[in-house]
Amino acid sequence: MNYKVKHKNYNYPDVNGFFGEFGGSFVDDNFKPVLKKLEQDFFFAWNDETFLDAWYDLLVEYSGRPTPLYFAKKLTEYYGKGKIYLKREDLNHTGAHKINNVLGQVLLAKKLGRKKIIAETGAGQHGVATATAAALLDMDCEIFMGEKDIHRQHLNVERMKLLGAKVHSVDTGTKTLKDACDAAIEYWLRHPNEVFYCLGSTVGPHPYPMIVRNFQSIIGAEIKKQILEKENKLPDYVLACVGGGSNAMGAFYAFLEDENVKLIALEAAGEGLNSGKTSAALTLGKKMILQGMMQYALQDENGNVAKSYSISAGIDYPGCGPEHCYLKDIGRAQYYAITDNEAVAAFALLSRLEGIIPAIESSHAVAYLEKLMPQTSKDDIIVVNISGRGDKDTERLLQLLT
Ligand SMILES: *Cc1c(COP(=O)(O)O)cnc(C)c1O
């Protein structure tokens, strides 16, 4: 089965890596040839049937794809309006969509003859997925993580170590994700021919947003096939949460040219859009260059990137991937913000009604049903992408729910 999505007219990024005015590759001159080489290597692999077959084989045999498109009967009855389906990315190996991209990138690294995988991680989810793929494919693995995050995410640090990865503590700057990224890139530039940098979301300089989107586009390609089999029509709405943007791009990409499918992404409002404690970059952000790309990002009064906040570590990010910025500007996708409290309520609701504990990230997408469902009719079809499972959040959220 070839899941590659083909479009008639939508052809982004352009040759310079831009989605409209977003994206691109704003990096130092010595970094440019390394990225150019990565772009060529990726295109070569993406057009190689043997490579794609090897990747699909891992997705099926190792990660358990295709993930179910589950008709949520009780959730549908609860709202009494349109039919709600859940795309179960939480059922992937390691519990989230991240493995789709990581298996692709680590397989590419192996094909290129690299010996070592490096990655940055904040909450540790991408680090665990990368360490998993590295163990499977027999690669050395080094994960860069801020010293503060290492203390906050102890269990994930232990998981990475158990999987054979070396966790590199970064004690510069704020000792969190951004500093971990800088340290990983610095290391990569010192060893460009031995090391492969596995990036976890649709962010960073070109070609990363494209690479991650292409590997995640299998989510939407499967949704399309599955919903046509079950309902013999396309969905009216596809919902996904957005941090850097990879699970949402993955779910949306196959539908970009299906004008009647409304694409809605939910970002983290945190404690509220006016609270100063938020991650709502697409609702409140300004255009700026950050992490090698033009994007919408939260700014402070001096025009510097502001500190973001969300109850959910996976979408606590001050910016957003360039393709989402573009889709917002051209109006092809809609972006709304969900507060911590709304997400926590949705976390409890889905657990109670369907016996599915969603990640707190994914709960942001589920929460939007409160606003959307009253506007739907009985024959509308709504697909919610459940990007990951919520075991990791349960202990912390229980304190809020009781
Ligand atoms: C990392 C993560 C996200 C956020 O990342 P995106 O690139 O925006 O998808 C969302 N959900 C889960 C479960 C995650 O682990």
Side-chain angles (χ1 to χ4, degrees):
M1 170 90 201
N2 191 334
Y3 280 96
K4 253 162 87 170
V5 174
K6 293 198 179 67
H7 289 129
K8 283 202 191 80
N9 300 309
Y10 184 93
N11 198 12
Y12 291 99
D14 65 21
V15 287
N16 296 314
F18 281 91
F19 303 84
E21 60 186 304
F22 299 99
S25 174
F26 297 88
V27 297
D28 291 344
D29 281 346
N30 61 335
F31 199 4
K32 285 189 174 135
V34 178
L35 291 171
K36 193 74 209 164
K37 172 85 171 38
L38 175 63
E39 183 191 28
Q40 287 164 353
D41 290 336
F42 173 72
F43 278 132
F44 190 70
W46 191 247
N47 292 309
D48 174 1
E49 288 298 325
T50 319
F51 174 84
L52 291 177
D53 284 347
W55 175 55
Y56 292 144
D57 192 57
L58 288 179
L59 291 175
V60 172
E61 299 294 333
Y62 187 66
S63 192
R65 300 205 75 87
T67 57
L69 183 68
Y70 165 71
F71 173 54
K73 186 162 169 283
K74 286 179 69 194
L75 191 63
T76 298
E77 281 166 4
Y78 174 81
Y79 286 109
K81 293 280 197 166
K83 290 177 91 169
I84 303 168
Y85 282 86
L86 307 176
K87 179 60 172 164
R88 299 291 309 277
E89 290 303 296
D90 58 310
L91 292 178
N92 274 301
H93 181 46
T94 68
H97 68 291
K98 287 196 169 73
I99 194 88
N100 304 330
N101 163 56
V102 162
L103 285 173
Q105 287 195 44
V106 177
L107 205 59
L108 173 61
K110 197 161 179 80
K111 181 181 161 79
L112 297 174
R114 304 288 162 78
K115 298 277 178 285
K116 186 188 272 189
I117 300 295
I118 61 167
E120 83 296 337
T121 196
Q125 296 297 107
H126 175 56
V128 169
T130 305
T132 299
L136 177 73
L137 295 169
D138 241 331
M139 307 278 275
D140 290 340
C141 182
E142 193 162 330
I143 304 295
F144 291 78
M145 194 167 180
E147 198 189 311
K148 243 188 217 160
D149 290 332
I150 287 185
H151 290 294
R152 288 193 290 206
Q153 305 290 342
H154 187 68
L155 181 61
N156 277 340
V157 174
E158 293 307 319
R159 289 168 79 194
M160 288 183 260
K161 286 185 186 161
L162 191 61
L163 292 159
K166 184 168 169 230
V167 181
H168 189 98
S169 171
V170 179
D171 60 2
T172 49
T174 58
K175 305 178 185 179
T176 57
L177 180 62
K178 189 191 163 297
D179 312 288
C181 278
D182 292 344
I185 287 175
E186 197 178 298
Y187 186 91
W188 186 28
L189 284 176
R190 274 190 276 125
H191 312 271
N193 298 320
E194 298 99 68
V195 165
F196 188 97
Y197 182 15
C198 178
L199 217 155
S201 188
T202 45
V203 296
H206 178 70
Y208 277 110
M210 171 186 73
I211 292 177
V212 178
R213 174 201 69 194
N214 283 17
F215 284 137
Q216 291 294 0
S217 64
I218 189 156
I219 301 172
E222 281 181 8
I223 294 174
K224 201 172 207 175
K225 181 169 178 285
Q226 290 167 319
I227 202 73
L228 287 172
E229 280 166 8
K230 287 173 196 280
E231 296 281 351
N232 202 22
K233 65 170 236 180
L234 293 179
D236 297 278
Y237 299 89
V238 178
L239 273 49
C241 68
V242 59
S246 70
N247 87 88
M249 261 340 291
F252 292 175
Y253 192 57
F255 297 104
L256 287 180
E257 291 193 326
D258 300 309
E259 295 292 332
N260 294 327
V261 181
K262 295 172 206 68
L263 306 173
I264 301 179
L266 292 312
E267 58 181 353
E271 293 188 357
L273 288 175
N274 302 316
S275 68
K277 289 188 79 183
T278 177
S279 299
L282 287 153
T283 307
L284 300 172
K286 303 215 167 65
K287 285 174 197 166
M288 69 185 289
I289 294 167
L290 188 69
Q291 289 182 317
M293 57 172 170
M294 178 63 85
Q295 59 176 299
Y296 284 118
L298 298 173
Q299 286 186 359
D300 64 15
E301 54 281 7
N302 302 318
N304 297 318
V305 60
K307 216 172 132 29
S308 61
Y309 163 81
S310 163
I311 191 170
S312 153
I315 56 176
D316 180 351
Y317 181 68
C320 187
E323 195 161 12
H324 285 293
C325 301
Y326 175 66
L327 294 177
K328 175 187 159 75
D329 271 17
I330 63 168
R332 179 61 191 95
Q334 263 64 54
Y335 294 83
Y336 302 109
I338 296 292
T339 64
D340 287 357
N341 288 340
E342 290 169 323
V344 170
F347 176 86
L349 181 75
L350 192 64
S351 303
R352 195 81 46 86
L353 279 183
E354 295 286 352
I356 296 170
I357 303 176
I360 186 64
E361 291 84 1
S362 324
S363 302
H364 286 70
V366 178
Y368 188 66
L369 294 172
E370 287 286 321
K371 290 164 194 166
L372 177 66
M373 293 315 292
Q375 309 168 31
T376 63
S377 63
K378 290 257 184 207
D379 45 57
D380 279 339
I381 294 172
I382 299 94
V383 174
V384 186
N385 195 36
I386 304 299
S387 55
R389 66 173 185 233
D391 311 41
K392 66 186 178 55
D393 303 307
T394 304
E395 201 170 4
R396 202 165 43 99
L397 293 191
L398 273 183
Q399 297 166 356
L400 294 173
L401 286 166
T402 46

